[in-house]
């Protein structure tokens, strides 16, 4: 991955009364694990803020972009945002991720 690379994934929230923001964080996890290069990435550290509620029936989209990649190591710092179908930010922040070798 290189600085500035971006990735995106969308899903519809179908769960009931549980903390819906967990769905937003889970979608970011899926994005890191399945969509970014060298699938199987893992979070080393996260700094996220919940900005708005996520409700059943919402369609949420996770987007991430690489802020920095460590030279010689499979570690990157990303900026992440999750928005709902109205474009409202529901979760945002940064994360340090480890990318497994391809």
């Amino acid at each position: 991955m290189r600085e500035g690379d971006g990735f995106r994934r969308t899903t519809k929230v179908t769960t009931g009364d549980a903390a819906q923001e967990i769905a937003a964080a889970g979608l970011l996890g899926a994005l890191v694990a399945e969509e970014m290069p060298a699938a199987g990435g893992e979070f080393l550290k996260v700094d996220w803020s919940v900005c708005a509620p996520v409700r059943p029936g919402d369609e949420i989209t996770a987007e991430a972009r690489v802020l920095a990649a460590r030279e010689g190591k499979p570690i990157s710092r990303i900026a992440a945002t999750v928005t709902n179908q109205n474009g409202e930010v529901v979760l945002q922040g940064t994360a340090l991720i480890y990318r497994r070798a391809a």
Side-chain angles (χ1 to χ4, degrees):
M1 288 192 306
R2 297 181 319 269
E3 188 174 325
D5 285 352
F7 306 90
R8 179 182 183 132
R9 187 170 194 163
T10 301
T11 193
K12 186 164 187 127
V13 178
T14 58
T15 56
D17 294 330
Q20 303 303 320
E21 291 74 19
I22 300 233
L27 184 60
L28 282 173
L31 180 74
V32 166
E34 299 173 10
E35 303 293 333
M36 297 179 107
E42 299 175 20
F43 291 111
L44 299 175
K45 180 180 179 180
V46 296
D47 183 15
W48 294 333
S49 296
V50 174
C51 305
V54 176
R55 296 180 174 84
D58 279 355
E59 183 174 283
I60 56 174
T61 299
E63 296 184 75
R65 66 183 166 82
V66 178
L67 297 175
R70 288 196 187 168
E71 185 83 27
K73 293 191 178 202
I75 296 174
S76 297
R77 187 167 162 265
I78 63 169
T81 304
V82 179
T83 55
N84 64 17
Q85 67 278 2
N86 300 319
E88 183 179 22
V89 175
V90 296
L91 186 139
Q92 68 180 359
T94 60
L96 191 63
I97 62 168
Y98 172 83
R99 299 175 328 279
R100 296 181 185 273

